[in-house]
Amino acid sequence: MALKRSGDIDVSGDMASDKKKKQVRVWVDGCFDMVHFGHANAIRQAKKMGDYLVVGVHSDEEIAKHKGPPVFKQEERYKMVRAIKWVDEVVEAAPYVTSLETLDEYNCDFCVHGDDITTTADGTDSYHIVKAAKRYKECKRTAGVSTTDLVGRMLLVTKNHHKPDEESVEKADVSDIGQSSCGHSPYTGVSQFLQTTNKIMQFSEGKEPKKTDRIVYVAGAFDLFNVGHLDFLEKAAKEGDFVIVGLHTDSVVNRYKGANYPIMNLNERVLGVLACKYVSEVVIGAPYDVTNDLMEHFKVDTVCHGMTPVMPAEDGSDPYAVPKKCGKFKTLDSNNELTTRMIIERIIAHRLQYQLRNKKKSEKELMIMEALTKNNVEK
């Protein structure tokens, strides 16, 4: 039997063992604009394909060149992706077209992307190089969500994205958010997201608090989960060992925020919050008032709230009266003033740019889909 030499030592057995134990490194890249649960689910699926996940995030310049202006700034997007619990490493300013050199530089075995369409400004498949080298794998795209759709909700002041079993659901003409007049792309224009228990289980760690853990409870809308929320939750996590987030229903959020808030419905907000590495558990449809029953049920040690004003309960009372009376309430300053409202203001300030971006994206996707369909028919 031929031997591999390292001095006079036979290392063939060790090398075989090392080969078996080789860490599988996976590469994922993208814009990750307005980082939502669809992005998180793609990252979750990619992590399951290997041991170590490297996520490349494109710069503002690259996104503007190939797609149009991003909503979130690059530093915000870098930070948001780092906080997704399946991410091991983030590469900033990753190239828009994934190359073999990039995979090799970060020792990644292959690249993973969803089964939707991603192209450069000239219509070239962003993954054509790694596909040709057979270093590309696909994961299933999360139906019912896209950044383009969320931008559309902000431009259309309607509530038709709220949960269908709640009141005030309106009909809306979505033609003015940039949909192509000649068709409807399944990627740019999406159907309503349908929650399942399986999806919640996939996003949840399923961990129970230890008897010695200090339980921290926070509540709110956590709409369009952003770095403002992230910085607050990071601070809250330092107050204890197990962070529980209570998410208010769409109707409750709409009562204290008005207009078409929340932009993301309860089902969507649940997954967005669960993907955050600082969150241990989520209460779906939490009561607006933090009651004594809630405190005892979850054995809460500290209730935290940010610097934003607290709207009184429907009867005019303070929703945090109970934890305050018990000496278990704490106000946290995240030192980040970003709010959901400010994100919407960014969209409104550049309304025409985003409408044009949405329209171009939808039309490009439709053209590619038609070409693929034609090729399949000819074959």
Side-chain angles (χ1 to χ4, degrees):
M1 182 176 67
L3 299 178
K4 300 289 183 182
R5 293 179 61 86
S6 176
D8 294 321
I9 300 171
D10 180 2
V11 297
S12 58
D14 290 337
M15 290 184 68
S17 177
D18 289 343
K19 189 173 183 180
K20 288 179 183 177
K21 295 178 182 178
K22 181 183 180 297
Q23 184 185 61
V24 177
R25 293 172 62 93
V26 182
W27 173 272
V28 169
D29 57 27
C31 303
F32 300 102
D33 197 15
M34 295 179 61
V35 189
H36 51 67
F37 66 92
H39 296 131
N41 194 36
I43 285 171
R44 180 192 66 79
Q45 292 179 81
K47 179 60 180 284
K48 288 184 69 176
M49 297 183 191
D51 306 304
Y52 189 91
L53 182 65
V54 182
V55 181
V57 183
H58 308 319
S59 67
D60 292 346
E61 183 180 3
E62 279 281 86
I63 297 171
K65 176 183 175 182
H66 294 284
K67 293 181 70 172
V71 179
F72 279 14
K73 299 170 186 175
Q74 60 191 35
E75 293 302 328
E76 294 171 332
R77 292 182 289 106
Y78 299 154
K79 191 171 188 176
M80 288 291 291
V81 173
R82 281 194 179 93
I84 295 174
K85 59 189 178 185
W86 301 287
V87 175
D88 295 303
E89 182 181 343
V90 167
V91 174
E92 299 180 359
Y96 201 82
V97 176
T98 310
S99 67
L100 298 178
E101 288 77 12
T102 299
L103 296 189
D104 291 341
E105 181 179 354
Y106 294 97
N107 298 314
C108 291
D109 297 276
F110 54 86
C111 168
V112 176
H113 189 262
D115 54 6
D116 53 333
I117 299 167
T118 303
T119 64
T120 62
D122 62 5
T124 304
D125 184 344
S126 304
Y127 297 97
H128 72 281
I129 298 171
V130 289
K131 284 179 179 178
K134 299 190 183 303
R135 290 177 68 180
Y136 174 86
K137 294 186 180 183
E138 279 189 352
C139 63
K140 191 173 181 181
R141 182 185 176 277
T142 307
V145 64
S146 75
T147 299
T148 304
D149 176 60
L150 295 176
V151 169
R153 296 183 196 181
M154 286 180 262
L155 296 178
L156 294 168
V157 188
T158 66
K159 302 174 190 173
N160 61 306
H161 54 279
H162 290 180
K163 286 184 67 179
D165 58 331
E166 297 194 35
E167 297 178 0
S168 303
V169 175
E170 303 170 2
K171 297 290 184 182
D173 176 11
V174 298
S175 61
D176 65 343
I177 71 168
Q179 295 295 338
S180 169
S181 59
C182 62
H184 181 77
S185 167
Y187 308 125
T188 300
V190 297
S191 58
Q192 189 165 33
F193 172 69
L194 299 176
Q195 186 67 280
T196 64
T197 54
N198 185 52
K199 188 60 65 185
I200 293 174
M201 288 171 63
Q202 289 172 341
F203 272 61
S204 174
E205 292 181 324
K207 292 181 179 178
E208 294 287 336
K210 301 172 186 174
K211 289 184 178 180
T212 55
D213 282 351
R214 285 187 54 79
I215 311 298
V216 179
Y217 180 79
V218 303
F222 291 90
D223 193 17
L224 293 175
F225 195 76
N226 57 64
V227 287
H229 299 133
L230 182 61
D231 285 344
F232 168 70
L233 288 172
E234 185 177 8
K235 282 283 182 72
K238 293 177 181 178
E239 296 296 320
D241 310 291
F242 195 91
V243 177
I244 301 174
V245 178
L247 288 177
H248 299 144
T249 63
D250 297 345
S251 58
V252 168
V253 175
N254 190 249
R255 180 184 71 80
Y256 63 79
K257 286 191 176 283
N260 61 330
Y261 291 101
I263 302 302
M264 300 185 81
N265 66 46
L266 178 59
N267 288 333
E268 297 167 326
R269 290 183 283 122
V270 166
L271 296 186
V273 173
L274 275 175
C276 177
K277 66 182 181 182
Y278 301 118
V279 176
S280 307
E281 182 64 284
V282 167
V283 180
I284 304 172
Y288 188 65
D289 292 67
V290 181
T291 63
N292 191 58
D293 284 346
L294 184 147
M295 299 272 291
E296 289 184 355
H297 180 82
F298 293 109
K299 296 180 174 55
V300 176
D301 294 289
T302 307
V303 175
C304 297
H305 191 271
M307 303 299 289
T308 55
V310 178
M311 185 175 182
E314 289 190 88
D315 62 1
S317 63
D318 181 357
Y320 292 101
V322 170
K324 286 179 179 178
K325 187 177 179 180
C326 299
K328 294 185 175 182
F329 180 81
K330 189 169 185 177
T331 301
L332 300 179
D333 186 352
S334 67
N335 297 312
N336 190 323
E337 298 180 353
L338 184 67
T339 64
T340 302
R341 180 63 209 171
M342 291 168 67
I343 294 169
I344 294 174
E345 286 171 355
R346 291 182 189 179
I347 299 291
I348 293 172
H350 302 282
R351 181 186 182 100
L352 293 178
Q353 282 181 292
Y354 287 119
Q355 285 179 329
L356 181 60
R357 184 185 81 165
N358 288 7
K359 185 173 186 293
K360 284 183 176 179
K361 189 170 187 292
S362 182
E363 289 177 343
K364 187 188 292 184
E365 288 169 353
L366 283 165
M367 287 176 64
I368 295 170
M369 288 175 64
E370 288 171 1
L372 290 172
T373 302
K374 184 179 179 182
N375 288 338
N376 289 333
V377 170
E378 289 176 350
K379 287 179 181 179

